[in-house]
């Protein structure tokens, strides 16, 4: 099975956040429609007293596949086909541990957020991109650059253009 591009998405929620389940419901809807696949999701909340609560949702089968693919690519880059085999095996072993985020990442994330706030890290596979990538490759194309532009980025560019026009 082909894998789509994988994104690490980190989201912060302030003290006034209202968790009603909408974001999880949308992730589930996108997953059921095979638009994205949630490989791993870690949510960390820091209480006012500094104590930490965490929730993690992992797809162990997907973690093993991702580990094998990433390991094979790294191994191939380092030592050709033989390295790909060794890398894939090592990647499967890491993936079978059942989580991408170990306690060190949990504590690092917890240290970076203020008390009373929540942060989430989601390892998200973009399944929608697979047919597009295959069509491009089928036409002999290769990606030369890949960058996400967020609405905030476009607003910043617009503001800079506006200031330049005012000068």
């Amino acid at each position: 099975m082909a894998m789509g591009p994988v994104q690490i998405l980190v989201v912060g929620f302030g003290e006034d956040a209202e968790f009603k389940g909408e974001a999880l419901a949308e992730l589930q809807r996108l997953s059921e429609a095979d638009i994205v696949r949630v490989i791993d999701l870690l949510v960390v909340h820091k209480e006012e007293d500094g104590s930490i609560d965490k929730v993690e949702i992992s797809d162990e089968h997907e973690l093993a596949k991702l580990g094998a693919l990433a390991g094979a690519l790294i191994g191939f880059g380092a030592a050709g086909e033989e390295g790909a085999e060794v890398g894939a095996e090592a990647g499967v072993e890491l993936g079978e541990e059942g989580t991408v985020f170990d306690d060190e990442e949990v504590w690092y994330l917890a240290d970076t957020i203020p008390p009373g706030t929540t942060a989430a890290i989601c390892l998200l596979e973009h399944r929608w991109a697979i047919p597009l990538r295959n069509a491009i490759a089928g036409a002999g194309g290769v990606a030369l650059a890949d960058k996400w532009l967020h609405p905030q980025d476009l607003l910043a560019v617009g503001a800079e253009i506006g200031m330049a026009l005012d000068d």
Side-chain angles (χ1 to χ4, degrees):
M1 176 189 285
M3 282 199 71
V6 176
Q7 175 186 19
I8 297 176
L9 178 63
V10 182
V11 180
F13 299 93
E15 293 179 18
D16 59 344
E18 294 183 29
F19 297 103
K20 298 177 185 171
E22 290 115 344
L24 281 175
E26 183 61 13
L27 277 175
Q28 184 174 3
R29 183 191 74 77
L30 293 169
S31 183
E32 288 170 357
D34 202 34
I35 295 169
V36 301
R37 179 174 294 142
V38 177
I39 298 171
D40 207 3
L41 174 65
L42 171 67
V43 179
V44 175
H45 177 75
K46 184 187 261 185
E47 298 289 346
E48 291 294 338
D49 67 3
S51 62
I52 303 298
D53 295 316
K54 74 169 189 160
V55 174
E56 186 168 8
I57 301 168
S58 298
D59 184 330
E60 293 176 19
H61 176 68
E62 292 307 317
L63 287 173
K65 280 182 17 185
L66 178 64
L69 179 62
L73 291 172
I74 292 167
F76 185 78
E81 287 186 31
E82 187 175 307
E85 267 185 55
V86 172
E89 290 171 12
V92 167
E93 286 178 28
L94 287 173
E96 287 176 344
E97 290 178 8
T99 183
V100 171
F101 309 113
D102 62 18
D103 285 342
E104 190 174 310
E105 278 94 9
V106 172
W107 289 113
Y108 174 78
L109 182 60
D111 287 344
T112 63
I113 62 173
T117 62
T118 302
I121 304 175
C122 185
L123 195 58
L124 196 62
E125 177 193 6
H126 291 273
R127 304 278 305 149
W128 61 266
I130 296 170
L132 176 60
R133 180 190 60 211
N134 292 345
I136 291 168
V142 295
L144 300 177
D146 185 353
K147 171 81 171 113
W148 289 82
L149 292 178
H150 298 276
Q152 297 88 338
D153 300 331
L154 298 173
L155 287 171
V157 169
E160 285 182 33
I161 291 171
M163 289 189 309
L165 292 174
D166 290 340
D167 290 341

